[in-house]
Every structure is written in structure tokens, then in C-alpha cells.
Amino acid sequence: MGTGTDTRISDNGRIVTSLDRIRCLSIIAHIDHGKSTLADRLLEMTGAVDPRDMRAQYLDTMDLERERGITIKAQNVRLEWNGYIVNLIDTPGHVDFGYEVSRSLAACEGVVLLVDASQGIEAQTLANCYLAMESDLTIVAALNKIDLPAAEPDKRAQEIERVLGIPAGDVLRISAKTGAGVRELLDAIVDRIPAPKGDPDAPLQALMFDSIYDAYRGVVSSVRVFNGVLRSGARLRYVNAQRDHDAEEIGVRLPVLTPVATLGPGEVGYLIAGIKDVGEAKVGETVTDAARRAEALAGYREPKPMVFCGLYPVEGDEYADLREALERLRLNDSSFTYEPETSGALGFGFRCGFLGLLHMEIVRERLEREYNLSLVASSPNVEYRLQLTDGSTEVVDNPSSMPTPQQIEAIEEPYVRTTILTPTEFVGTLMELSQQRRGEMEKMEYLSEDRVELVYVLPLAEIVLDFFDQMKSRTRGYASLDYEPVGYRRSDLVKVDVLLNATPVDAFSAIVHRDRAYEYGKKMTSKLRQLIPRQLFDVPIQAAIGGRIIARETVKAKRKDVLAKCYGGDISRKRKLLERQKEGKKKMKQIGRVEVPQEAFVAALRLDE
Amino acid sequence: MPFGVPFGVYVHIPFCASRCDYCDFATWTDRDHLIDDYVSACVTDLARRRASGLPIATSVFFGGGTPSLLAAEQLTRILDAIERADGAEVTVECNPDSVDAAKLGAYRRAGVDRLSFGVQSMVPHVLASLGRTHDPANVRRAVDLARDAGFARVSVDLIYGTPGESPDDWQRSLDGALALGVDHVSAYALTVEPATALGRQVAAGAPAPDDDLQADAYLRADTVFAAAGLDWYEISNWARPGEACRHNELYWTGGQYVGIGCAAHGHTGGRRWWNVRTPERYIAAISGDTPAVAGSEVLDPEMRAEENFSLALRMRTGAVAGARSAAVVSELAEQGLLERGRLEGDGERIVLTRRGRLLASDLTARLLLAGAASPDSAPAPGHPPSLALGTIEC
């Protein structure tokens, strides 16, 4: 049994790392609480990365991740500390990726809870901690940024004790930036987090907790072995996908990808099996031997889109580019869905489904940035369950496919339990906001004299609409939010259509609560009145529920569009102007008799953002 | 010489005493020292063109700038260099401030038969907003001087829709212009061009002209002029019968003309061309015997047909819309934007109504997209159509 550098590489299938010398853990932290900086320090202090090669946020490879300071894809790295192998599994840092977080946690025996010593614990961190506790993981709590003047480590440690039951005295105090306390943290990880258990002789059971698509190597999956041995070259069975693949290469991230011959119980590494689509190597998959199959590990589920919107190219001729970009992006992210959709207002595009609002923003931003597209999104919505008067049921994720009010018996919409952690001064405004957004309070608890936990059950549609932005602006960014689905509930919902000269404009149809229908109708009609160019005739813009008009504006007929002077020197110029006017007319979207440039629709939708 | 195929000579005089806020023409207020050389260059240009077969002019138009800023003998030197048909129309644009009896007498003797005064408004605060310097009282004096000098044909230019101009202000200008006893008026909506003082003011937040107020002003003008016996013959031009500007009609009927002077445009032999923009470069080109023409374009038959159609549609004589556009023509006729006239060839003659004239650009684009510009949609180049159009009431 080797130690030190000898333990790194398994040799010809012989397990050379003993289980009690392995630790597997994740770091749970809120955005900006210093997780990536801590990861950087760990890489340095364990000698995994030469100081000369060090760069900030080493493990965050995507531009977006570095800019937003969040981790989108789970990375992992194998470190060494005092003769122990420490497998650090990074988790995605946002509420939308709760399932992915749960799979990363399932690959661990413990977590480091990292909390900003001035900010205190945040809602989503708390939610992930609860998740870790439910899975019986050991929590090593650490307060970060103790070097900052605003740090209040005593108060924050008390808070942690109060909400998580971790004795304040056990909470470590570190500065990932300066490195203070990081050695002690590594020691605590080795001391407190239990070693993995597993049987090397049992049939192979390995958990896939991440897959990325690499243009050269295909899908590269991250796996944690629980039982048996994963061998390079072996014929593998992907249990949930019910497909067999060959282990073309397995290895560990040191963090440089380093091939090995075997990975035994407790080991974490990567697996390349000639797969071209991450949809075939999904998070939560169980990998076993094709010849000697084991059961699937518990907890697998298909990620289910919860938020939907239409994505359209601003320039119609970029449709093919958008389709190609979606295809390629999906190789890397199997959790969003898309299908072709045609809109009278926006032309050809795609109806897309996402795990949540941030996921939607990330996908859109990646499409625009990495594929150089200019996109417009229709207003996001959730998925509704309908009972129709004829007794049948229907699921609708697009307002334009909503049946008429007469056909609908009842509508159910998804609700979420929302946990908000906030400084006490914002409690009033957050309660007001939650009530406006149809929230029902479940709980209010003081974490300390200046921080409060609020729990509301409210419709996901409200979160999707503007709850998150409202919360951030009302609390100057100090409140944090986490939510989990709690099923569907019946609501008094109506579909509001926006009509241009009596013709509905599909991109602006929305499903809203009856009490907010007028507000929505008023907002959209007055916005469009300013954006729709004047026509040769008066154009009414109406908002309607079924056949009932609830708001109306009028774009008055255009009265003057003429070049005043047209003499010798003006003729060539006039011809060019007319040419442009003709081209402009050709590009107009025709909504009934009304001609609207796509820019007007794009602007109307952008104003929403 | 007999009156043959219409042919025009446009002479551009790029000098002004001061620059108006809305003006983006090729004009300069600080180049008076160039005037002598410039006049000589125009004369040389004309002499060379005559030597290589310039047709006899049926109309001459001195535009600017301010042609009346030239001394009488400078302007007549240029006019003398143009071979003209008997009865040729010769127009000079004048600033009411820069004319006197002697100058106008000299013009008349040299063959000028038509004056066009830049009046713009008869209301002092509107004139001030436009950056114009003249006193409305000078307009009366200038027109009287013109009559005394023997000019039967006098036109005035007006501008409407200046921010701050009330409907009453505009009515005063209309009444004032008609009280001068003129037989021709051009009235233009104030247009904001970016590279002007006005354009910069608007960009900085000053009020822009309002389309609806301008539309009101246009309708009022059309009503007032018609009641005084001046009927529209082009979107921005009204005249008593027989008093339409023949030179300008050349522009709208695809006619032929040469441009003399800097920034002047010509249309000859199926080619549209234009001279170098500044007076210095024009003088240098002519004295160095290098081409003063800076650029040109030849239109393909489809573009020419569309151009002819869109120009013809500006006139009361209207355009012939090809049969392909019949559906759009019907729709626009139903909306009261155009009148349908007699069938001609493969189409029918259409004329814009008052409301339609205000929307001419939109309607033209719409009709062209519908394929209205059949090759026979315009009168034969160079033959201004008769104003007597019994079948059409506008």
C-alpha cells in the first residue's frame, strides 16, 4: 500500500490506494463567498498546480463562469495532503441545478460549508446543507474572508450553530485569499470527514455526476466509484440509458488529465467512452460492467424543464445558425430542450425548456456569445396542467397553444417553496412582495438578531416573471433565495392576448392570474403603441381575455411621409431612399393588414428584461 | 432658334451672405473672393460643352446658394454663354434682400424672364427660427421692383412646419404670399437634415417639426392656393394655368439637362452625373481642363422605370400603374389616397389625392413593390405632359 506520489496511479488493475486514505468532498458556498478562491488555494498548497501556472478561478473553465463568479459545470480534482487523497468535487452554484448538486453530493462523504464571515449563510447554501445532512454527509464549516474589516465571525458562527446545529466552536476561520487557516481546514477535512466504504470485489458501481462535451475527445464524464473496479478498456453498461460502451480512457484530474489503468472504490476520476452526446451520459447515471452487472445507484432522475420561452434570431437569416448552435450546445447540456416554433411576430425560432431562470439566461448568453448570435426571447412561462370541459387533460407550456376559456374547466400551475434569507430591515418589503405575488407564508424565523429566514409557497410563474429581480432590487442584493418544487395547485389563471388591428400577436400572449390580467394588458398595449409605426389607417391595439377586451390603445394613422423637395440633385438620392423604403417594407412582418418591423417586437420584448 | 426638344441648363451659384439653419446645400458664406474665377469657370465649362454639341436650351435655372448675390454682369456673362431657344424660360433664385432695380433691370435685359424669391415665411419670429435675415417688408419691395423691371413671372418659396409656427402664423404667410400677386408658389415642409445648424439643434434636444402639424399646414396651403386660382401641379408646387416652372418639370418627367458649377447635377444620354462639390475644386478642374464631373450612374431599365414612375407620381398628371398592381391600386383608392384615371396601355393612370400626396413616399414604395412601374408608366422623356387632364378630378 503506497503513500505520497505512489498512491496516485493505480497499477495494472491492482488497487494501490487504501480506502482509509481517501476523502471525497464538495464545497458548498454562495456566489461570491470565495469557493473558487479556496479551490485555488487548495490547488496551490497541495502542490497540484505549480505557482507559475496558477491563475484565478483555476477550475472555472468557461468565460461565463469566471465573469459571473459561478460554477456552471461540476469539475473535480484529485489533491494530496499528508499522504491522503482528497477528491474535491465542485458543485454547480445555483438553484436551477439542484439535481446536479444532489448528484455531486452523492459522490461525497462530506462537505465543506464555506460562509462569508461578513455576509453570513445564504438561502441556497442552507438548502444545499440540508441536502447534505439528509444524505448523512459530514459538514466541516468554515467562515471565509476573516481578513476583511466587516467580518463578524462570532456572530456568523452563532448563526450556523442556530440553523444547522454545528457547534460554533467547531467552525473554522479562514481567509482563502491570504491562505490563513487553509492548512487547518485541510487537516480538518482529513480528520473529520469519514473515509469512503466499498467492496473492490463486488460488481462495478460508479456514479456519473457530470458530463462535458469536448470537441476532440467526445463526452468526458466525471465518475465516483462505489464498488468494484473501473478498468480502462472494459466493456461498460450504462444502466439507466441501457446502453453499452467501451471505457476508451479512464484517468484522474491532477488537475491535468492523467490516464490510469483502474479506479477503485472511493476514487474519483474521468471516463471517456466514445460517446458524442451528453444525453447518453447523463448526470446520475450508474456505470457497471457489461458482463457483470450491478443495480443502479439510487436517486437517478431525468432533469425536467420548468421554464419555457421562445428563442428567435433577431435576423431571420440566422435561423439555421441558431439551430446548429442549439444542437452543439445540447451536446454539452442535455438538461435543456428545444423544438422548432413559428411565430407570426418573430418568424422562425425554437421553443426551449430550461431547468430555471438562470439556466435560461446562461443558455441564451452562451448562444449569443459562443455562437455569435443575436437573439430575442419571448416572455418566459411555466408548464400548466389543464382540465378541459370535455373531461380530458392537457399540458401546456406555450401560451399560444392554450385552448379558449370556454374549453377550460380548471388550470393548475406549479408552486414552489421559497426560502429567503434576509437582513431584518428588508422583512417588510419582502413580505409585501411575496403577498403581491400570491405567496403564502409558511415560516419566519430569526437566525440572529439581524438576519431572518422567510419561507413562502408561491407560484413558480411569479418567480419566473420578476420576483427574483424585485427581491434583489428591494434588498439591494442582500437577500438570497432558494426554491424547490412542491407540486401543482389550482389557480384562477387567464390567457391574455394582445391584438393588433384585431389580429392576435402570438409573441405577447401570456398566462397570468386574473387579478393581474389588466395590469399586463395595459402595460403591453401602451408599450406597443409607442413601438408600432403609424400605418395608413388607425390601428387599435387591444388586450383581451377570450373575446373580452380589457385594455385598448390606438396608433393613429400616419399622415405625412413625403420628400418635400425633389429637384435635379435630389433625384438619385430620392431613388435610394425609396429603394430603402421598399426593402424595409419587404422585411416587415405582416400582422393582418398591419406592417411591423421585427425590431418593434424585439424592442417590446427587450423592455421586459 | 425654334423651340425644339426640351433641354435644361442648371447653373449652381454656391455663394450666400449667410447660411440658413435648415440648409444642407452646397453653399458657402466665406468664399466671395472666388466669385470672379467661379463665373469664368462656368463660362469656360459652357463654352467647352457647346463646342462638343450642347443642345439648345429651352430652360435655364440659376439656383443656389444665392444667385442674386452675383453682380448683374457676372450673372449675365454666364447666361450669355448659353445658347437658348426662342421663348426659353430663364429663372433666377433671388434673396429679397439682395436685389435692386438696377440688378433686376439688367437681368431682364439679358433674357431672364422668371424670378423665384426665397421668402419662407412672412412672420418675423418664424424667420428668426429659420436663421433667415430678411424683413418681411423687403419681400413686398422686392416683388414690386420685379414688376417694375418688367417681370411677369414671379414665384415665392415658403417653408411650413417650423417648430413654433402656429396655424395662424402659417395663415399669415399664405395670405401675405398671395397678396404679392404671384402666379407660382413652392411650399416645402421644413426638413431636418443632420449636417445643418437645425439638425444639430434637434439632436441636442430642440423640438423637431411635427408631422401632424405639417400635414395640417399642407392641407391648409393647398386649400388657400386653390381658392386663389393656383392649382397644384407637383407635390410642393402650385401655379396659375400655364405658369408651371418648365425647367423643374424637366426633372419630374425624366427630361435632359446639364449641371454647370460645383455640386450641380446633370442628366444626359441616359446618365445621371454630378460635379465636384466645392467651388475651389470646380475652378481647379475647369482651369486645369480636367473633368469637373465627380461621379455618375447609368440606370438599368427596371430602375429607370421605377424612377420615372415615382417622379411622375409626384405630379398632377400622375403615373401609369401597370396591371400587376391593380389590387394595391384598388386598395389605396378605397382608402382615398389616390384617384384612378383612364386606362392606358397595360395599366391605368393614377393620381395622388391631397391625403395621398402627403404620403407619397410610402405609397410609391408600396406601388413599386406591387410591380406598378411598367415600362410605359411615364410620359416620354422630355415632353412635359399637358396640365389639362379632363378625366381626373383631384
Side-chain angles (χ1 to χ4, degrees):
Chain A
M1 203 160 301
T3 55
T5 50
D6 295 335
T7 61
R8 279 189 178 166
I9 310 299
S10 307
D11 176 24
N12 274 337
R14 194 168 55 87
I15 309 305
V16 294
T17 307
S18 92
L19 282 172
D20 61 14
R21 287 275 169 176
I22 299 177
R23 300 292 181 270
C24 298
L25 68 133
S26 282
I27 303 174
I28 295 178
H30 191 70
I31 296 166
D32 289 340
H33 281 207
K35 182 167 73 167
S36 296
T37 310
L38 176 60
D40 289 350
R41 268 319 70 68
L42 295 175
L43 289 172
E44 262 176 25
M45 287 190 176
T46 59
V49 176
D50 193 293
R52 279 175 313 179
D53 299 331
M54 196 63 206
R55 57 173 199 267
Q57 290 178 254
Y58 191 94
L59 294 180
D60 292 345
T61 45
M62 268 189 263
D63 285 349
L64 254 177
E65 293 182 317
R66 286 179 197 206
E67 274 170 38
R68 290 192 171 218
I70 54 172
T71 304
I72 296 167
K73 300 299 291 182
Q75 282 281 11
N76 63 87
V77 62
R78 175 161 161 164
L79 308 172
E80 214 184 289
W81 182 250
N82 285 344
Y84 287 83
I85 288 172
V86 176
N87 289 309
L88 182 61
I89 295 167
D90 207 0
T91 52
H94 190 269
V95 55
D96 290 350
F97 305 103
Y99 170 68
E100 281 76 359
V101 173
S102 80
R103 293 306 84 202
S104 289
L105 294 182
C108 302
E109 276 72 35
V111 297
V112 167
L113 166 64
L114 188 68
V115 174
D116 186 315
S118 47
Q119 310 270 334
I121 193 164
E122 306 284 0
Q124 180 203 327
T125 323
L126 190 61
N128 288 341
C129 264
Y130 287 146
L131 207 59
M133 288 165 98
E134 279 166 27
S135 317
D136 290 326
L137 303 192
T138 300
I139 296 175
V140 177
L143 291 165
N144 190 21
K145 308 194 189 180
I146 51 162
D147 54 314
L148 295 184
E152 295 180 285
D154 293 337
K155 189 188 260 178
R156 301 307 164 209
Q158 286 297 332
E159 247 173 52
I160 289 171
E161 177 169 330
R162 183 168 193 140
V163 294
L164 292 169
I166 298 168
D170 289 354
V171 178
L172 298 167
R173 297 170 185 208
I174 70 164
S175 167
K177 197 171 103 191
T178 66
V182 176
R183 281 168 196 286
E184 291 75 3
L185 176 62
L186 276 162
D187 289 339
I189 287 169
V190 169
D191 290 346
R192 297 188 203 168
I193 294 178
K197 297 191 183 77
D199 179 359
D201 299 323
L204 173 65
Q205 267 184 319
L207 172 69
M208 196 169 280
F209 59 87
D210 182 40
S211 287
I212 58 161
Y213 178 79
D214 180 282
Y216 302 103
R217 318 208 60 182
V219 172
V220 182
S221 300
S222 295
V223 293
R224 149 81 194 258
V225 178
F226 282 90
N227 288 303
V229 178
L230 175 58
R231 292 168 206 281
S232 181
R235 185 74 179 160
L236 302 175
R237 176 72 173 177
Y238 283 39
V239 180
N240 295 298
Q242 301 180 20
R243 298 281 294 268
D244 292 351
H245 300 282
D246 291 320
E248 285 177 5
E249 180 180 321
I250 62 173
V252 291
R253 292 183 170 96
L254 300 171
V256 175
L257 268 60
T258 308
V260 297
T262 63
L263 288 171
E267 289 198 281
V268 174
Y270 68 88
L271 163 63
I272 298 170
I275 299 171
K276 296 294 172 208
D277 174 359
V278 287
E280 289 178 35
K282 288 183 179 168
V283 171
E285 178 64 271
T286 300
V287 178
T288 185
D289 267 319
R292 197 176 162 222
R293 293 185 190 176
E295 295 285 293
L297 294 157
Y300 176 80
R301 65 180 162 87
E302 290 280 331
K304 203 174 155 330
M306 295 183 69
V307 175
F308 302 82
C309 76
L311 284 182
Y312 293 84
V314 169
E315 301 296 336
D317 53 10
E318 284 188 346
Y319 173 77
D321 299 337
L322 173 57
R323 184 177 50 207
E324 194 190 324
L326 284 165
E327 278 165 10
R328 286 169 60 185
L329 197 58
R330 209 183 130 79
L331 290 177
N332 224 333
D333 179 357
S334 64
S335 57
F336 79 92
T337 59
Y338 65 95
E339 57 185 50
E341 176 182 68
T342 309
S343 155
L346 302 171
F348 293 104
F350 294 91
R351 189 82 194 155
C352 301
F354 308 92
L355 299 174
L357 209 52
L358 181 94
H359 187 215
M360 180 176 90
E361 279 173 30
I362 287 169
V363 168
R364 179 179 168 181
E365 218 170 310
R366 289 187 66 184
L367 288 169
E368 296 203 298
R369 198 186 286 214
E370 293 169 25
Y371 299 92
N372 202 21
L373 296 165
S374 179
L375 301 176
V376 56
S378 61
S379 328
N381 59 270
V382 299
E383 194 169 71
Y384 297 93
R385 292 181 184 167
L386 275 55
Q387 288 168 32
L388 302 181
T389 45
D390 64 7
S392 64
T393 59
E394 201 173 304
V395 173
V396 169
D397 65 18
N398 188 345
S400 63
S401 46
M402 193 71 133
T404 61
Q406 293 76 28
Q407 294 170 277
I408 300 170
E409 181 69 39
I411 305 179
E412 291 183 345
E413 64 177 325
Y415 271 66
V416 290
R417 175 174 292 108
T418 305
T419 302
I420 304 170
L421 297 194
T422 177
T424 45
E425 59 190 295
F426 304 119
V427 166
T429 181
L430 288 175
M431 287 172 67
E432 182 191 66
L433 174 66
S434 303
Q435 267 146 28
Q436 277 172 11
R437 299 298 189 269
R438 301 188 276 144
E440 282 169 30
M441 190 196 273
E442 270 197 351
K443 179 178 164 191
M444 176 169 144
E445 188 178 316
Y446 279 80
L447 305 181
S448 59
E449 70 266 30
D450 58 2
R451 301 235 312 154
V452 174
E453 177 186 11
L454 288 170
V455 179
Y456 274 87
V457 171
L458 45 75
L460 175 61
E462 299 288 350
I463 304 259
V464 162
L465 198 64
D466 65 349
F467 189 92
F468 189 70
D469 292 339
Q470 280 284 326
M471 180 191 85
K472 285 286 172 200
S473 74
R474 284 177 185 228
T475 65
R476 300 199 300 274
Y478 279 109
S480 62
L481 170 148
D482 188 80
Y483 61 79
E484 53 174 340
V486 291
Y488 276 70
R489 291 189 187 183
R490 187 178 284 211
S491 290
D492 189 8
L493 300 175
V494 291
K495 177 188 170 196
V496 179
D497 289 314
V498 175
L499 299 91
L500 215 51
N501 204 31
T503 305
V505 188
D506 50 14
F508 298 111
S509 291
I511 295 165
V512 296
H513 191 263
R514 190 180 298 279
D515 293 346
R516 295 186 74 192
Y518 173 75
E519 189 189 323
Y520 177 80
K522 193 79 209 151
K523 187 181 84 182
M524 290 316 298
T525 50
S526 67
K527 193 189 280 183
L528 284 169
R529 183 178 61 77
Q530 287 158 23
L531 292 167
I532 303 286
R534 296 167 74 175
Q535 312 280 312
L536 294 179
F537 44 89
D538 283 358
V539 176
I541 301 172
Q542 298 159 310
I545 300 172
R548 193 165 59 84
I549 304 300
I550 56 169
R552 181 191 162 112
E553 299 267 358
T554 304
V555 177
K556 300 296 285 177
K558 166 164 81 171
R559 295 183 56 207
K560 176 176 168 285
D561 180 2
V562 57
L563 208 61
K565 284 193 178 190
C566 188
Y567 298 104
D570 304 312
I571 292 173
S572 294
R573 186 168 70 110
K574 175 186 159 68
R575 196 181 56 246
K576 280 166 194 148
L577 288 173
L578 261 175
E579 237 4 84
R580 216 174 301 155
Q581 199 157 0
K582 258 172 64 187
E583 287 311 307
K585 277 205 192 302
K586 266 192 219 162
K587 282 194 188 159
M588 293 275 183
K589 302 277 175 187
Q590 197 81 32
I591 305 291
R593 282 173 67 214
V594 183
E595 292 163 348
V596 186
Q598 174 151 333
E599 299 89 80
F601 292 130
V602 170
L605 288 167
R606 288 229 166 113
L607 286 177
D608 255 357
E609 286 168 9
Chain B
M1 295 293 290
F3 202 100
V5 174
F7 188 86
V9 176
Y10 174 77
V11 183
H12 188 68
I13 305 298
F15 308 105
C16 281
S18 70
R19 194 176 182 97
C20 305
D21 288 355
Y22 51 85
C23 175
D24 77 335
F25 294 161
T27 71
W28 285 267
T29 56
D30 56 352
R31 313 276 165 101
D32 289 4
H33 57 284
L34 296 175
I35 291 179
D36 264 342
D37 289 344
Y38 187 81
V39 168
S40 299
C42 288
V43 170
T44 306
D45 194 357
L46 281 161
R48 286 190 190 138
R49 285 189 174 278
R50 256 200 342 268
S52 53
L54 188 71
I56 294 165
T58 54
S59 67
V60 178
F61 197 103
F62 285 87
T66 311
S68 58
L69 204 63
L70 265 57
E73 64 275 15
Q74 289 172 320
L75 187 132
T76 56
R77 257 185 79 203
I78 300 173
L79 183 55
D80 288 347
I82 302 168
E83 191 182 356
R84 286 165 279 145
D86 290 341
E89 174 191 273
V90 180
T91 306
V92 177
E93 283 186 344
C94 296
N95 183 324
D97 285 347
S98 63
V99 293
D100 55 43
K103 190 179 272 183
L104 293 179
Y107 284 179
R108 188 74 195 94
R109 285 190 296 281
V112 177
D113 71 336
R114 187 172 179 274
L115 299 178
S116 173
F117 285 104
V119 170
Q120 322 314 357
S121 172
M122 300 295 271
V123 180
H125 79 87
V126 177
L127 286 168
S129 304
L130 291 168
R132 296 285 296 199
T133 54
H134 67 256
D135 175 350
N138 281 352
V139 174
R140 174 85 254 171
R141 186 191 63 89
V143 172
D144 288 346
L145 287 175
R147 299 289 186 216
D148 293 346
F151 284 97
R153 305 182 69 194
V154 176
S155 175
V156 292
D157 283 0
L158 296 175
I159 288 179
Y160 57 86
T162 303
E165 180 184 62
S166 69
D168 282 351
D169 291 336
W170 178 230
Q171 184 71 49
R172 274 171 67 194
S173 290
L174 293 171
D175 293 343
L178 288 173
L180 299 170
V182 295
D183 47 32
H184 186 285
V185 183
S186 305
Y188 307 111
L190 178 65
T191 305
V192 179
E193 303 291 351
T196 60
L198 179 66
R200 285 185 291 274
Q201 288 158 21
V202 169
D210 179 278
D211 279 350
D212 290 328
L213 293 178
Q214 289 195 330
D216 290 340
Y218 181 86
L219 296 179
R220 182 180 287 242
D222 192 57
T223 304
V224 168
F225 293 149
L230 278 69
D231 285 323
W232 81 282
Y233 70 99
E234 192 266 353
I235 285 172
S236 299
N237 287 278
W238 290 260
R240 288 187 204 289
E243 294 301 328
C245 175
R246 294 205 299 275
H247 183 84
N248 287 341
E249 282 183 330
L250 273 185
Y251 295 142
W252 304 317
T253 54
Q256 309 239 355
Y257 51 92
V258 291
I260 300 297
C262 66
H265 285 236
H267 179 222
T268 48
R271 206 165 60 99
R272 294 203 173 276
W273 50 270
W274 46 92
N275 287 341
V276 294
R277 186 168 163 83
T278 67
E280 287 90 342
R281 287 170 58 205
Y282 180 74
I283 293 166
I286 297 295
S287 56
D289 202 8
T290 57
V293 175
S296 70
E297 56 183 355
V298 176
L299 307 185
D300 64 37
E302 189 193 345
M303 286 164 82
R304 175 154 302 273
E306 296 204 341
E307 183 184 275
N308 285 339
F309 177 87
S310 64
L311 290 170
L313 204 55
R314 291 184 68 89
M315 301 186 71
R316 179 160 189 170
T317 41
V320 175
R324 272 199 295 159
S325 61
V328 172
V329 166
S330 299
E331 193 188 320
L332 297 177
E334 270 167 38
Q335 292 175 52
L337 298 170
L338 56 80
E339 301 266 354
R340 316 175 75 161
R342 59 176 180 266
L343 294 178
E344 282 179 37
D346 183 31
E348 60 180 323
R349 186 161 288 269
I350 55 170
V351 177
L352 299 179
T353 62
R354 284 206 319 171
R355 247 179 358 101
R357 276 180 259 155
L358 277 164
L359 296 165
S361 294
D362 184 289
L363 302 183
T364 305
R366 208 172 280 277
L367 287 159
L368 289 179
L369 270 182
S374 63
D376 58 350
S377 66
H383 290 285
S386 151
L387 277 180
L389 248 174
T391 53
I392 295 175
E393 285 301 316
C394 299

